[in-house]
Structures are given as C-alpha cells and as structure tokens.
Amino acid sequence: MSIVIKRLRVESLDQPIGLDTEQPRFSWLLDSELQSQRQSAYRILVASNTDLLQQDIGEYWDSGEVVSDRSVQVIYQGNPLQAELRYYWKVKVWDETGAASEWSSIGQWTMGILDQNDWKGEWIGQSLDPEIEFPPSLYLRKEFVIDRPVKRATLYGTALGVYELHLNGSRVGDEYFAPGWTDYAVRTQYQTFDITASIQVGGNAIGAILGTGWYAGQVGMMGREIYGTSPALLLQLHIQFEDGSNHHIVTDETWTMNTGPIQYSDMLKGESYDARKETPDWDRTGFNESDWQKVYRFERYVGKLVSQIDPPIRITESINPVKMWMTKQGTYLFDMGQNMVGWVKLQVQGLTGTQITVSHAEMLQDEDTLYIENLRRADQKDIYILKGEGIETFEPHFTFHGFRYVEVEGLLDSELTLGSVTGRVVHSDTPSTGSLETSDDMVNRLISNIRWGQRGNYLSVPTDCPQRDERLGWTGDAQIFIRTASYNMDVSRFFAKFMEDMTDGQTPDGAFPDVAPDAGWFEFKQKVVKWFAPDNAGWGDAGVIIPWTLYLMYEDRTILETNYDAMKRWVEYLKANSTDRIRPDYANYGDWLSINADTPKDVLATAYFAYSTAIFVRIAKVLGYADDVIEYSALFEEIRTAFVRTYMDEKGIIQGDTQTVYVLALYFGLLSEEMKPLAAKRLEELIQQNGNHLSTGFLGVGYLLPVLTENGLEELAYSLLHQDTFPSWLYSVKQGATTIWERWDGWTEEAGFQNPGMNSFNHYSLGSVGEWMYRYMAGIDVDSEQPGFKHIVIHPRPGGKLTYVKANVESGYGLISSSWQLNDGLFSLQVSIPVNTTATIHMDGTSVRVPDEAVKMGMENGKHTYQIGSGNYEFISQIEKVMKVT
Ligand code: BGC
C-alpha cells in the first residue's frame, strides 16, 4: 500500500485537551511517494485506553469500514463522550485499488467540563469601588498538600477579567489575556491546563494574578467597566490519583489575596509596576501570608462557561530594535524596524525608586518625537519603578500596544544599549499556513505588511487596530479580509469563536452587529446618533460571509449548520427593512475611506442585501434545505432585478458611478451577461481616468482586482498592484510602511499626517488584496463544489512586472504549491497537489510540456485545462504576454 497516514487532528488541533464539543471532528493527513493517490475508505477506532486500541477495539466508536474519500472533518458518531475523560484514536485507510494502509499512530484528546453544574468552585476576588479608575491587579493564592502519587492533574480556569496562573514558583501555560474576550454576560471561555508534571507529592502552592482586562478595564471609546466592576477568578483543579481516587481543589473562601507590584494594568492605558512591592515566592509553599486578606466571594455566574475555541494568545516572536538614539530631551528612542503589536521586554539597572516610562508609537512626528496624536485616549505607556537590585527585567502583564518606536525616559544614572529592549510580538496564535514570494521586492514588502497586519490585529477577536482607544471586533473589516487571512493562517477556530461573538450580539429582530463582542458599542453610538442601527451594509453581512468562507476554505459544514438560523434571521431582517427590495441608507458607513468616490449608501446596502441572500442560498443548498433554496433564490432574483431597475441606466451606468459600485455589481452577480461587459468597460474607464489609480474604500478594495481579472482586465489589475503613486498599495510601501495603513492617505508627501482621530498605521482591511495574490496571481483557489481544497483550482496569471511567483498553502489535506516563472515568453509552472485531492490546471499559451499523468480537459477562456491527481508536476508553455504596465 502506498499511502501513509500522518498527523492526526481532532477539531483541527493536535492532541487537544478540554474539548467540550459533543461530536468532535477527526482529520488525518495522507502522504505517498506515488502520484494520483486517493483514499477510498476509512475506519476509525476510539477507545478510552491504548491497550484496547492496540487490540483494534474501539469501545467508544468503531466506524467500521466506511466507503468514503473524506479525510478531514469526519464527525464522531460513537457513544456519548464523558466529561474530563481522555480518548485515544487511530485510523486506517484504503486506497483506490482497495489496498489497506497500516493503522496510523495513536492520537488522543481529552474532554473538558461539559455540564455547567460540574463547576464546583466559587468566583473569588476583591469587591472594588466603581469609582477607582485603574485598580491594582490582584494576587490570589492557596496552599494544599498532596499525599499520594498523582496520575493526572488538570486545571480548569477562567476569569471575569484576565488572569495569569502560577504553580509552585512557575507560570502555568504560555498564554496571555486568558480567558479571551467574549460577551461575558452571555459566555465566558475556560482554559484547560495539564499540570501533572508540576504537581508534587507534599506541599503545593497555586496562585493567580487577576487584572481588569476587557471585563472591567477600558474598552474602545466606550470607557471602562463595560461588563462589571470587579474582576473575579474561578479555578477547578481535578487531581486523579494513581489509586483511582479523585480530589478537587477549587477557588473558595480558603484562598487569600493581596495587591502587589502591579499598580494598574489596563489594555489601553498601559501598566504601572512598582518593583519595590514585589513579594517573591508568593507562588511557593511556605510563603508568609500574614498580611494577606480573605477573598471576596461573588455571586454565581449567570452566563455560560465554554471551553476556549480559538487559539491562545501567545508571544510568537521576539525582535530586536534596529536603531537606538538619544533625543534632545534626553530620552532614548528605539526603532524596532517593524510596526508590531505586543510590548517590550526592558532590561535596566538603576537606583531604587527610579521611575522609568516606556512610551509606544507607530510613527515619529520628527526625529526626536513620537507621533501619538492618533492614539486618542489610549496612553500606551508602561511605567516601571526600580527596586535597585542589579539588572531588572520588566514585561507588562495585561496590556498591549501597537508600535514601531519606543521611547524610554527616566534613567538618570545608567545607560541603555540596543540590547536593553526586546520587542515581544503577541497575537492569537493561529498557525501559519500560507506564504507568497514574487520577483518584485515592493510587492514582497506589501505581502509582508499584510501578514503583519493580520498578526497584530488578530487578538482574541479580529480587531480593527491595535493602538488607539478602539481595538474592536469590527465585523466589516473582518469579512473583507477573512479570505486573505485564511490563506495566510489557519483561522478556522479563531473565526468559529468570532461567529459566537457575532450571534451573541445579534439583535432579537435578526441584525448582526457592527462590532462583536458588542461591548456597549451600539448603546454608546445610539446616544450620539439617534438613527443608528446595527445593520450596516458590509458589516452585518459578515454574519453570512464568515461561515461561508470557513466552509470554502476548511470544508467546515458544522459552522454552516450551527449558524444557519442566525443567517436566515439576518436575511429576513434585511428583507423586512427594505422597500420593494431596495435598502434605505439610514445606517451605513458606506465604502469606508474611499478616495473622493462616495458610493451611494442605498446602492451599497442593496448590493450587500443581494449578496447575503445569494450566499444564504448556496448554504441552504449545501445543507439540503430545498424549500429555502427555492424561496431565497426567488428573493435574490427580486433584489437583483430591483437593483438593476433602480440603479442602472440603459448605457450601463450605475448610480454613484464609482469604481466600487461596478466592482460590487460584478462580484455579487447582480448583472446579466449583456450588462457585464458594459460595467467592466466603465470600471476600466474610471480607473484609467484616475491615472490608473484605485479609489475604493474598505468594501470595494477586496473585490477590485478579482473583478478586473475575471472580466478580462488582468493587466489593469497588475498595473494597480504595481502602482506606487497615491493612492495605491505600494504608495505606503514607498513611504516605508511595514504594516497596512487604515487610510490610503495616512501620510502623504503633500499633507503629512491626516485626520489624527482616525489614522491607524496598522489596519488590515486595505490588505484584502492578499486574496487576489493567492487566488489569481499565484492561482491557488478552492472549488465551491468540493471545498476545503478537496478539488483544487490552479489558475496562475502571469502578468505585470513579475517574472516569478512562489506560493504555498497548507490545506487540510496537506501542502499545495504553485510556482511559476516567466522567461522569454516561456511560462513554466510547478505544482504540488496533496494526496486525496485532485486539481484542475489552467495554462496560458501553447503547450510545450504537459506531464503524462495530466488529462486534457479542453479549452476554457482561451486556456488549456488539465485534470491531475496528487503529486508534483511541471507544465511549460509558450506565451505572448504584452507588458502593458505603466
Ligand atoms: C474602525 C473601522 C471600522 C469603522 C466603521 C472605524 O473607527 O477603525 O475599521 O470598520 O470604524 O466604519
């Protein structure tokens, strides 16, 4: 048998612990030395111990031999899974000849707490006065004795606030800002830690540091104490002894608490840390806690506790500054060389009581001054008071900053070096899956900027920006960038969690929110703007676009099922709030931050109404809801007809006459075959009249190059890509940008910094061109009929100034790659296609070399198409490309 089974995953994770999904999904990677390999059947065994599995017994589930080529997201269908139990599994597959593989190695996962009533502990902390603006973080501790050998010790923890766990003198886990951000009134995530190796027979000390976080600290422009005043901690340690007995240690009245060195730690303000107040060994046994107090016990939590779905927030990289200099005001300035999100580790030496301030900014006002006007009410400052004992190392606990430049002030008696500062890059640790490289350095920098924008802003929720007093889960930004994001990284779990935030925030009449978790945004905004509604075109639609994208990219059917009713309510809401299928413009951000090209808001809203409906129809089809398919297809037709009738004249001019309006009409399928060329022509004219510049805002930008490419304007797409005068992607690159800017005109040669109230230099939305680079430039695309890259479309578009492109995408089935080179009209393409998938290759020009295994399918849009199975292949053709780039 030629197929080998590699890497087993449960719920897309390697050996997860603490799952609370009743029917986890299994995936396995297949590998083979041979070409064109596919799975024809599989058998899965699930058991509660490895001995049974070794004997090929799965007492929880034996799927039997299932004739199927599914190897990702196979749903568990065995006996009900028990809370807190560890499960082992293995799989065997058959290839197309009927030959069986060896059994895979054994995988495992552990279930978490499944029933709310199984939480035994109490919520503990300190009852705070709401008037205290920035309270100190709290230290909580308890000692306990273990008198028998421990088989397994599992710690479940969560907080209303943010917490950091300690056990016997060490930090537990490597995550930050647990439990993450949710609408705490409805749902709070818990974390599971396997601490078996750190528990000792004899005395043990467990402790936690508790901060305000999103729960009680500042959130966005809405202020502080959005969810509550006093942070609270809930822990449950489950010890299973070797002798079969069990013991629980939970948070209760026996815990003690105190404040310590953290004077305050707030997401937006920063942290103040007085090292003189450190209490060494507070997390070890034998600590003198005579001045610690009894904890306050809070009332029972009314929301739901769920296991954390999304990847933990971690430090994923440490970077060193590239430059340091002394300013004329006597402070030190560091240039990290990269606009980043996280904080700095500072190593300093000085006299006791010396106060050091570390300020963060994305740009410089002048050589000696940080540009902080764009931070609005976010201070982004960390303060550190030295204890005066040799070299001291400082890293904040419950805050993060968006910055490239760091200013350190307050050191009087010692000097800093480049090595005094290290940048800590912090974000939701979504695994990297994609990479792109081209022959053009400027384009490569753009690719890097897109990636950094994603890294910095995916922090528990897809935030808009990491620096000013905003940092919210703006749903419009999320939807326009999700396809790019899902090429770059595995965001399946990150967005599955965000969809829960979206549905938690859905209004009773079906509107999806602009911001999720809502965090009081809606109420806040309503006070300012009376007509405000939470259903903005292109924002609320994220509730449909996100699940559909997860289905396309990860073959995630469950996300469609779970959110089906919510999506249907959204479409119904849009229907109820439209007149003759036309949506009014009363609550609408428009094509946000477009350049002198306002698209009428009702046109935009009606186009999105049609798009949400069209996607919903496709989802209904996938799930087999035939009645809905009929009903909502008809609705789509009605909206489409109303759109054309109301907004398009006989010459094909659509109301607003902006680039975006044509882009949306074409991308959303609103135009008949006869109208399409007219719209494409007009779009071309508008771009040309604008000197080959785009004018699109957040909503138009993502679809602009795909629409040009799909409508025969590939070279125009390339000229927009390569354009480096304002406004364009490469304009910011030319100005030295290392992340995607919020505005095309964030900084211009003529006008300097723009609109400081809204001028983030790390907003990912305009980076949604990444999707085009993967799908069209490199040409790696999904087939919606066989999603998740089960059938891969390889359709590279040689063009522009590029002489080569290399792209890799790690799909659920394995690595897909597409690399092309263009040399004197000779176009060569190397592809890798994973086992158990097939691909259709689209080749330009006259064939020079076609692999023997490739099955010729005919011509499509003037290109040769071939069908191939798994393996590595090379295609070569002769093409005549006219380089039109201006
Ligand atoms: C945010 C955006 C968001 C927008 C709504 C801004 O303040 O930063 O990214 O989508 O508001 O128009």
Side-chain angles (χ1 to χ4, degrees):
M1 161 79 171
S2 60
I3 298 183
V4 190
I5 304 171
K6 291 177 143 184
R7 193 175 183 191
L8 301 188
R9 286 192 293 175
V10 180
E11 286 293 302
S12 309
L13 299 167
D14 301 296
Q15 315 215 343
I17 57 170
L19 289 188
D20 65 357
T21 322
E22 282 168 22
Q23 289 181 291
R25 290 163 294 173
F26 302 102
S27 304
W28 50 93
L29 266 190
L30 301 172
D31 198 13
S32 176
E33 299 277 290
L34 303 177
Q35 312 261 60
S36 303
Q37 293 300 302
R38 271 166 98 164
Q39 167 192 304
S40 65
Y42 65 81
R43 181 179 170 202
I44 297 176
L45 295 178
V46 176
S48 60
N49 65 64
T50 48
D51 291 345
L52 286 173
L53 269 195
Q54 307 286 12
Q55 299 163 49
D56 297 347
I57 299 170
E59 95 274 31
Y60 271 85
W61 189 33
D62 181 345
S63 71
E65 184 179 331
V66 181
V67 177
S68 163
D69 63 354
R70 286 192 72 81
S71 55
V72 303
Q73 314 265 27
V74 174
I75 298 175
Y76 176 80
Q77 274 160 14
N79 297 326
L81 297 168
Q82 315 277 305
E84 302 192 62
L85 216 67
R86 182 166 295 171
Y87 290 92
Y88 300 88
W89 71 291
K90 64 181 184 179
V91 61
K92 154 189 268 199
V93 303
W94 285 262
D95 70 8
E96 281 192 305
T97 68
S101 72
E102 298 289 324
W103 281 106
S104 67
S105 58
I106 290 177
Q108 55 172 268
W109 85 94
T110 311
M111 297 300 286
I113 296 178
L114 302 181
D115 186 336
Q116 301 293 307
N117 296 320
D118 287 345
W119 285 95
K120 306 287 180 219
E122 291 177 286
W123 291 86
I124 60 168
Q126 182 181 27
S127 179
L128 291 172
D129 177 350
E131 294 304 312
I132 304 173
E133 273 197 310
F134 299 107
S137 299
L138 210 58
Y139 287 68
L140 301 115
R141 73 185 304 276
K142 179 188 170 69
E143 291 188 23
F144 58 94
V145 173
I146 294 294
D147 59 0
R148 280 160 288 165
V150 172
K151 186 172 163 221
R152 191 184 315 157
T154 312
L155 182 55
Y156 303 96
T158 187
L160 295 171
V162 280
Y163 72 106
E164 181 185 304
L165 280 178
H166 288 244
L167 179 73
N168 297 330
S170 306
R171 197 181 191 281
V172 174
D174 57 359
E175 53 204 275
Y176 291 85
F177 310 133
W181 187 7
T182 52
D183 182 344
Y184 301 107
V186 184
R187 193 169 49 92
T188 300
Q189 304 201 112
Y190 69 82
Q191 289 68 45
T192 307
F193 306 91
D194 185 340
I195 56 165
T196 315
S198 321
I199 283 273
Q200 54 212 26
V201 175
N204 290 272
I206 186 168
I209 314 174
L210 184 61
T212 48
W214 295 282
Y215 179 77
Q218 297 188 100
V219 174
M221 326 63 145
M222 288 82 81
R224 59 193 177 86
E225 296 178 27
I226 299 297
Y227 302 96
T229 301
S230 310
L233 176 77
L234 177 68
L235 297 182
Q236 179 154 321
L237 170 56
H238 181 186
I239 299 172
Q240 294 164 278
F241 293 104
E242 294 279 10
D243 64 10
S245 60
N246 285 281
H247 183 57
H248 284 97
I249 288 157
V250 297
T251 40
D252 58 17
E253 79 283 356
T254 62
W255 286 60
T256 55
M257 63 162 197
N258 206 349
T259 54
I262 307 174
Q263 312 289 288
Y264 62 78
S265 196
D266 179 87
M267 294 286 187
L268 302 183
K269 188 175 177 62
E271 176 162 319
S272 170
Y273 187 95
D274 187 344
R276 296 170 303 182
K277 299 200 170 146
E278 281 173 357
T279 47
D281 298 335
W282 69 278
D283 53 1
R284 288 179 194 276
T285 54
F287 174 75
N288 176 3
E289 56 170 40
S290 53
D291 61 343
W292 286 47
Q293 301 148 42
K294 286 190 104 178
V295 291
Y296 182 85
R297 289 180 285 156
F298 296 94
E299 297 198 351
R300 233 186 136 68
Y301 175 61
V302 288
K304 201 174 167 207
L305 291 176
V306 297
S307 178
Q308 177 168 356
I309 307 179
D310 58 324
I313 297 167
R314 297 195 174 101
I315 295 175
T316 62
E317 192 181 341
S318 293
I319 59 176
N320 299 318
V322 293
K323 203 175 148 202
M324 182 198 84
W325 65 102
M326 179 79 95
T327 63
K328 51 180 182 290
Q329 59 270 22
T331 59
Y332 288 94
L333 260 179
F334 292 83
D335 176 1
M336 303 309 297
Q338 172 63 52
N339 197 18
M340 56 169 282
V341 177
W343 54 79
V344 295
K345 180 173 97 173
L346 181 68
Q347 285 181 295
V348 283
Q349 189 160 14
L351 295 176
T352 182
T354 306
Q355 178 170 322
I356 296 172
T357 306
V358 187
S359 307
H360 306 77
E362 297 183 294
M363 301 284 265
L364 292 179
Q365 187 80 47
D366 58 51
E367 213 209 328
D368 285 342
T369 322
L370 297 179
Y371 174 67
I372 53 170
E373 251 187 303
N374 68 337
L375 302 181
R376 305 198 309 216
R377 287 180 317 110
D379 286 350
Q380 294 219 113
K381 269 190 185 149
D382 296 332
I383 296 169
Y384 188 41
I385 301 174
L386 300 186
K387 58 187 173 206
E389 294 166 15
I391 295 178
E392 299 176 47
T393 304
F394 170 62
E395 289 188 58
H397 297 76
F398 303 125
T399 188
F400 66 93
H401 316 299
F403 62 99
R404 170 171 171 169
Y405 299 95
V406 180
E407 183 172 19
V408 181
E409 76 181 279
L411 267 183
L412 304 172
D413 54 339
S414 65
E415 288 187 355
L416 295 184
T417 64
L418 259 190
S420 308
V421 158
T422 312
R424 301 290 219 173
V425 178
V426 177
H427 54 93
S428 288
D429 194 5
T430 50
S432 174
T433 49
S435 67
L436 275 172
E437 187 194 313
T438 74
S439 52
D440 187 294
D441 286 345
M442 297 275 279
V443 173
N444 289 343
R445 185 66 238 190
L446 175 62
I447 292 166
S448 168
N449 293 1
I450 292 170
R451 234 186 140 73
W452 275 98
Q454 179 170 347
R455 287 176 87 182
N457 280 299
Y458 280 18
L459 198 138
S460 189
V461 302
T463 64
D464 56 334
C465 60
Q467 72 300 87
R468 67 178 178 229
D469 61 342
E470 191 142 356
R471 313 183 189 190
L472 300 173
W474 280 102
T475 55
D477 309 37
Q479 67 88 356
I480 203 67
F481 190 72
I482 185 177
R483 192 77 173 259
T484 301
S486 51
Y487 274 104
N488 280 333
M489 297 175 204
D490 178 355
V491 294
S492 56
R493 296 179 60 82
F494 180 79
F495 273 107
K497 183 257 177 194
F498 189 62
M499 269 316 291
E500 304 232 358
D501 298 330
M502 291 279 298
T503 47
D504 285 350
Q506 192 172 23
T507 63
D509 52 356
F512 279 124
D514 300 338
V515 167
D518 170 72
W521 157 251
F522 181 46
E523 233 175 89
F524 171 85
K525 187 71 185 178
Q526 243 182 352
K527 280 187 205 140
V528 194
V529 191
K530 285 280 171 301
W531 45 260
F532 194 70
D535 59 355
N536 286 286
W539 270 254
D541 301 279
V544 176
I545 297 170
I546 291 172
W548 178 243
T549 310
L550 296 182
Y551 172 72
L552 288 179
M553 298 297 283
Y554 305 107
E555 207 176 342
D556 187 352
R557 239 181 111 97
T558 307
I559 197 90
L560 302 183
E561 274 156 7
T562 319
N563 293 290
Y564 190 75
D565 289 341
M567 295 189 278
K568 189 166 172 174
R569 292 203 296 124
W570 167 245
V571 177
E572 281 299 322
Y573 173 91
L574 295 177
K575 191 168 129 195
N577 288 279
S578 63
T579 310
D580 298 330
R581 308 302 183 227
I582 293 293
R583 297 261 298 129
D585 71 356
Y586 65 95
N588 199 311
Y589 301 114
D591 185 20
W592 190 241
L593 300 178
S594 59
I595 292 287
N596 301 326
D598 280 348
T599 300
K601 292 176 175 169
D602 55 329
V603 183
L604 208 72
T606 305
Y608 263 99
F609 175 22
Y611 190 44
S612 267
T613 308
I615 294 177
F616 183 70
V617 169
R618 301 181 80 174
I619 292 170
K621 255 185 215 155
V622 169
L623 299 181
Y625 295 116
D627 292 349
D628 284 351
V629 174
I630 295 168
E631 183 181 339
Y632 291 94
S633 301
L635 175 62
F636 172 74
E637 264 317 304
E638 288 165 20
I639 308 166
R640 207 184 69 76
T641 314
F643 181 92
V644 173
R645 194 185 47 228
T646 316
Y647 298 128
M648 197 169 189
D649 71 15
E650 62 292 344
K651 291 197 209 97
I653 303 296
I654 302 178
Q655 228 174 80
D657 200 26
T658 57
Q659 293 177 21
T660 290
V661 97
Y662 297 101
V663 166
L664 297 190
L666 285 163
Y667 196 86
F668 293 171
L670 308 183
L671 307 179
S672 65
E673 286 308 313
E674 302 81 64
M675 294 169 189
K676 279 186 193 170
L678 294 178
K681 182 93 205 75
R682 183 63 192 149
L683 175 60
E684 182 183 23
E685 275 166 22
L686 286 173
I687 295 170
Q688 285 168 347
Q689 282 165 16
N690 210 19
N692 274 3
H693 288 102
L694 47 70
S695 66
T696 47
F698 279 24
L699 296 185
V701 68
Y703 310 130
L704 176 60
L705 300 198
V707 161
L708 291 176
T709 310
E710 293 282 3
N711 288 278
L713 298 166
E714 210 167 288
E715 281 306 323
L716 189 56
Y718 269 108
S719 57
L720 290 181
L721 175 73
H722 290 301
Q723 180 61 266
D724 65 0
T725 58
F726 174 79
S728 66
W729 287 287
L730 295 191
Y731 180 69
S732 66
V733 170
K734 218 167 64 177
Q735 309 312 319
T738 58
T739 35
I740 297 294
W741 295 354
E742 174 175 28
R743 322 172 62 92
W744 296 114
D745 59 358
W747 187 92
T748 61
E749 283 128 322
E750 293 77 45
F753 290 113
Q754 294 296 294
N755 188 350
M758 249 198 34
N759 198 9
S760 145
F761 289 93
N762 196 355
H763 243 70
Y764 54 75
S765 294
L766 299 181
S768 52
V769 64
E771 169 183 344
W772 177 84
M773 295 183 180
Y774 281 105
R775 287 180 70 191
Y776 294 89
M777 182 179 82
I780 300 179
D781 204 357
V782 292
D783 169 357
S784 61
E785 296 301 314
Q786 293 184 62
F789 295 102
K790 181 80 174 105
H791 178 243
I792 303 156
V793 178
I794 300 279
H795 191 164
R797 272 44 177 227
K801 296 179 192 167
L802 303 182
T803 55
Y804 78 82
V805 167
K806 286 184 200 167
N808 286 325
V809 174
E810 185 68 46
S811 72
Y813 294 93
L815 186 71
I816 304 165
S817 69
S818 164
S819 295
W820 58 257
Q821 306 83 39
L822 191 58
N823 198 350
D824 269 347
L826 213 56
F827 174 64
S828 45
L829 171 75
Q830 296 82 36
V831 294
S832 296
I833 304 299
V835 170
N836 205 25
T837 67
T838 53
T840 302
I841 312 286
H842 297 250
M843 280 294 285
D844 263 327
T846 324
S847 307
V848 173
R849 183 196 299 165
V850 175
D852 293 345
E853 299 84 353
V855 180
K856 203 165 175 173
M857 306 299 285
M859 298 291 281
E860 221 179 90
N861 297 323
K863 300 191 180 185
H864 294 284
T865 60
Y866 306 93
Q867 193 77 16
I868 54 171
S870 64
N872 301 322
Y873 305 89
E874 183 171 48
F875 294 79
I876 301 179
S877 64
Q878 186 73 45
I879 60 172
E880 285 167 39
K881 272 268 159 187
V882 192
M883 298 285 190
K884 279 197 223 139
V885 177
T886 44

